[in-house]
Structures are given as C-alpha cells and as structure tokens.
Amino acid sequence: MTAADASLDPVPDGPPAPVLAFRDDALGTDDAVALLARLKAGEVSAAEVARAAVERIRAVDGRLNAMRVEAFEAGTAPVPGDGPLAGVPTLVKDNTTYAGLPTGHGTAAFTPRPASRHAPFTRQFTATGMTVLGKTRLPEFGFNASTEFEDAEPVRNPWNTEFSAGGSSGGSAALVAAGAVPIAHANDGGGSIRIPAACCGLVGLKPTRGRMAANETGRSLPIDVVVDGAVTRTVRDTAAFLAAAEQVRPAPELPPIGRVEGPGGRRLRVGLLLDSPTGTVTDDVTRAAVTAAATTLEGLGHRVEPYRMPLDARFEEDFVTYWGMLAFLAGATGRLLMDRRFDRRRMDGLSQGLRGQYLRQWRSTPGVLRRLRRAAREGYEDAARYDVVLSPVLAHTTPRLGHLSPAVPFPELIARLKSYVAFTPVNNVCGSPAISLPGPGRTPDGLPVGVMLSGRIGEERTLLEAAYELEAAGS
C-alpha cells in the first residue's frame, strides 16, 4: 500500500490517522515518473506543480517539523529548465551546500549563513532539472538514527506522529512519505538513506561509493563512508533518479546502470541474513517481514539460502570509534569549515559523547581503520557469493520519539543505537550498494517495516530489478 492509498480516517482503537498531503491539485497522487509524463504532455506546468508542492509542505509541516529552510520563491516563479527530471519538485537535506541557502548541519553550535556556491553533488542533483523548494532537517551532523534534538521539536513520522521518522535523512523522508514532494535528497554514512526509508515506508537506495559526485569532506576522510542519493515512494522513481544522475555525471570507474524499467529475466542467488552480522537478534515483527520477502522471492523462482556474514567481532565497536572520530573532527574544525563563531560546547549529547569517547581512545585509530577495511573487504567478498543479500534494514521496528533522543544519557543512547542500527554500516565501509524497500504489512502502531537488498559493488541494476519484483508482489 502506498501513501496515496491510505485512508485518512483513524482505525477504531488503532493508530491515529496519518498526516498526508495528497489532494486534488497539480501533483495528484503521481510519483515523479508519472508527473514527468504529464509535464512533458503539457497537462500541467512546472509552475503549477511547484506551487502545489509548496502548499502541501505548508499543510503538513506544522505537524511533521521536517523543513529547515524554505525556498518557496522557486515555487511561485520557477525558471524553465532542462534535464531529465525537469520540473519535478524536490528538497535538499540541510548538510549539503546549496548556493544562496544556509547549511546548518542540524546543529545549534553556530548560526549558518547563505552559501556562495553549490557543493559538487548539489551541482549533479540540480543538473537533473528538479525544482528545489528548500532544505530538510537532519539530526546533528547526521550522527543519529532518529531526527531529534535537545532543544527543538523532532521530525515526526507521518504514519504515526508519536514515532521517529528515522535519521539522518528524516526530514526528507517525512515529506516524501506524506506526499508533499515525490522525491527528496538524502545521504548515507551508516544507513541514513535506508533507515528513514524503512521508518517511513519508502524506497531508499544507497549507491556504490563513487557513483555520485563526492563532496570535499568525504574525499578527505580515511574511509569515505558517505554517499548521496534520494528517497522516493516507488522503485521506478529511484531508478529514474539514478539514470538522470548518471546522465548528467557518469561514473566511468563503475559499470553503467542505465534506465532500469522493470524486473530482470535472470533468476538470482539470494543470501538470507536474518540476524545482524554484529550479533544483534532481530525482533519478531521485522523477522516476519524479511521472511515473507524471502518467500516471495522463492516463489518468483529465485534461489534463497540462509546466510550469516562472517564479520570481525570488533566491527561494531570499531565503527562507533570511527563515528566518534567524525564527531571529534566536527568539533575541531567547526570554526574553520562552518563558521568562526562555531561553539563546540553547544554540540548535543550524542556528538559530545561520541567525541569524548574518541578522545579517550584516539591512539587506537590506526588499528581501527585497518580492521574496518579488512572486515569490510572480507565480509563483502563472502557476501559476493550471492547476487543479492536480503536482510532487515534495522534490528527492530521504529521506536517512539524520545527513545533515541540526544538528551538520553550517552551510554544508554549508544547502546540503543547499536542494538537498532545493526545491519546498514557494513555497506558504508565497503562501499557496496543497498536498497531499503517497504516490507509486507504494518506494525500495530501503523508503521511500515523495511527490508533491505544489498548487492555487489557497481551492481545497482541488479538491486533495482529485484526491487521491482518485490514491489509488484507487495512485499
């Protein structure tokens, strides 16, 4: 079931009505591909579509709190553009530089000023022709798996506003799921595309490292774990976005994806990974969704085999140490890279906790980097026996707001995060692609449950072809 199909009426004694923006306007219930067809046919104009998206954002954001910066003037007088996705309204996540708009990175440690130029990925993203209407919220520096703050309202899940929209691309995911825009920018350094996609019932593909234009910060890191992409409501929109991004900026070092328009004919060997390679046991609701997806794939003729990834027992702690190094660098370079008034004392509890933990063990950094690279390489090589690996996105269902708040004492919060974000980081360290899809059914609280397909480096096409099959089967 898509967001457009959901009833606005609450279920008696069940979850509350979702916060949805779908209405009889220029956007209708279209995804980006259907909208493009109507734009090209002249049935609607880019200006009409942009104005409709602005009105939808205004209608729902008071309850979702997903917008960080508005740029609605683009909706009243959009510049006619070209590009394969010309006229589709979208949003940019507020950790990516967009000329003329401030970039706040989700932190209260400084007051951002308008940027003078686009980041490299922003140039690629805007070259597709989409109309950018503003920027979306993220947790501080994208470190958290829920878009929550110590001193501000959290981003809320449109399916049930008492629950998390995920993180770190929570603002983008909430507005796409609500129907305000069909597609929005997201990026992923440990699951930050796939986690909010799972929480909000969306499609979220983390591309192969190098598939998208890399930003300056990532290129300077010893392991570039972050890659940009988008969240959408349909597999075909994600496929269209990847094709458009590849058209305006190819990645010659990787196999081309091209336009993927449906399932592939090849039957795949699928590894079924139910419990995390870090040892975390998956909860019953999530396990049932992934098992149902496996049954669907088997019914479609794919060969599904139980799989357990051999991963160094220290991987989890090493990844947290690397995470802490990023928090340390954010605090240490904030005045140089963000604003001279940056005050690291105002960083939130999660960032401070990660930073403090790293400072106590920074001498271990060379060994951590060596082990992460080795573990990711060995885990990837083992999983590459399969065409795809099917797994949960997260080890348990979406938590209520507050469970992952940065105000939770750090030792408790980091333990909660490790028991939740137990599947996604391996792809970031080894650079392989992975896609989150809505699994079958909903939780008793009305929330989606995500399932994940991981693939070999450069083989996003295989993931998309398998994702089309699962989507068509309703799994």
Side-chain angles (χ1 to χ4, degrees):
M1 181 176 68
T2 67
D5 298 324
S7 170
L8 292 175
D9 296 323
V11 177
D13 301 319
V19 179
L20 301 179
F22 295 98
R23 59 186 67 190
D24 185 13
D25 59 13
L27 282 170
T29 58
D30 285 343
D31 66 358
V33 171
L35 183 62
L36 276 168
R38 290 200 297 124
L39 283 163
K40 290 175 180 177
E43 297 174 14
V44 291
S45 70
E48 290 172 324
V49 166
R51 284 194 292 269
V54 167
E55 291 306 310
R56 289 186 179 200
I57 293 168
R58 286 173 171 156
V60 299
D61 195 52
R63 295 181 65 187
L64 300 181
N65 192 43
M67 286 294 292
R68 174 63 180 85
V69 179
E70 296 178 356
F72 290 165
E73 66 277 5
T76 58
V79 177
D82 52 13
L85 303 179
V88 174
T90 192
L91 299 159
V92 171
K93 184 177 173 181
D94 190 33
N95 64 351
T96 300
T97 303
Y98 188 96
L101 301 180
T103 302
H105 295 278
T107 183
F110 76 108
T111 300
R113 301 174 183 178
S116 60
R117 60 188 177 89
H118 285 340
F121 173 76
T122 308
R123 292 196 294 271
Q124 181 180 12
F125 190 75
T126 56
T128 66
M130 291 188 285
T131 303
V132 175
L133 299 175
K135 302 185 83 174
T136 59
R137 292 189 187 275
L138 71 152
E140 185 169 82
F141 302 117
F143 292 148
N144 206 341
S146 184
T147 308
E148 301 185 48
F149 312 94
E150 288 183 337
D151 56 357
E153 280 289 303
V155 174
R156 298 180 180 273
N157 193 311
W159 296 108
N160 187 327
T161 56
E162 295 303 309
F163 286 78
S164 171
S168 65
S169 308
S172 290
L175 288 167
V176 172
V181 291
I183 181 172
H185 166 233
N187 46 34
D188 194 312
S192 293
I193 292 173
R194 293 160 287 163
I195 292 168
C199 293
C200 294
L202 301 176
V203 178
L205 188 147
K206 172 212 154 322
T208 299
R209 181 187 295 137
R211 179 68 71 185
M212 301 294 172
N215 290 322
E216 290 89 344
T217 302
R219 288 199 297 265
S220 67
L221 293 174
I223 303 175
D224 186 3
V225 294
V226 181
V227 64
D228 288 273
V231 287
T232 72
R233 294 194 297 272
T234 62
V235 173
R236 69 177 187 172
D237 274 6
T238 292
F241 168 73
L242 286 174
E246 183 176 65
Q247 181 177 328
V248 301
R249 186 264 182 194
E253 69 280 9
L254 293 172
I257 302 171
R259 184 66 177 266
V260 185
E261 297 186 293
R266 183 167 62 103
R267 297 300 84 188
L268 306 176
R269 186 182 182 195
V270 180
L272 174 60
L273 178 66
L274 285 174
D275 293 317
S276 164
T278 64
T280 301
V281 177
T282 301
D283 76 359
D284 290 343
V285 173
T286 305
R287 182 181 294 268
V290 178
T291 301
T295 300
T296 298
L297 288 173
E298 276 193 316
L300 292 166
H302 301 287
R303 178 181 173 187
V304 180
E305 303 173 1
Y307 173 61
R308 186 163 186 84
M309 180 182 291
L311 198 64
D312 190 311
R314 294 169 292 183
F315 179 87
E316 182 179 76
E317 290 303 324
D318 285 343
F319 190 82
V320 171
T321 299
Y322 191 78
W323 205 359
M325 186 192 75
L326 299 182
F328 167 76
L329 290 173
T333 64
R335 290 188 178 183
L336 176 65
L337 299 180
M338 297 179 215
D339 188 273
R340 61 182 176 80
R341 296 165 296 176
F342 184 94
D343 183 356
R344 70 185 183 203
R345 295 170 299 180
R346 297 181 64 195
M347 291 166 63
D348 73 18
L350 176 57
S351 297
Q352 295 282 16
L354 287 167
R355 179 178 178 274
Q357 181 170 290
Y358 178 72
L359 286 172
R360 291 189 293 274
Q361 56 192 47
W362 65 270
R363 290 179 179 83
S364 68
T365 302
V368 165
L369 295 176
R370 186 169 56 251
R371 286 193 301 273
L372 282 174
R373 292 187 179 110
R374 183 178 65 241
R377 182 181 66 253
E378 292 173 352
Y380 171 75
E381 289 172 353
D382 189 76
R385 295 184 285 134
Y386 299 97
D387 297 300
V388 298
V389 171
L390 171 66
S391 74
V393 180
L394 294 154
H396 64 75
T397 56
T398 303
R400 286 185 178 272
L401 289 166
H403 181 74
L404 298 178
S405 167
V408 172
F410 177 73
E412 184 176 357
L413 177 56
I414 200 67
R416 290 177 179 182
L417 284 167
K418 287 191 290 188
S419 67
Y420 183 51
V421 185
F423 289 87
T424 53
V426 176
N427 303 106
N428 296 87
V429 179
C430 72
S432 58
I435 186 170
S436 173
L437 302 164
R442 298 269 170 150
T443 72
D445 296 300
L447 296 164
V449 180
V451 302
M452 184 165 73
L453 295 172
S454 300
R456 300 182 185 123
I457 288 171
E459 294 192 13
E460 287 93 333
R461 170 172 281 273
T462 300
L463 292 182
L464 289 167
E465 289 174 344
Y468 269 114
E469 290 194 272
L470 284 174
E471 181 183 62
S475 297

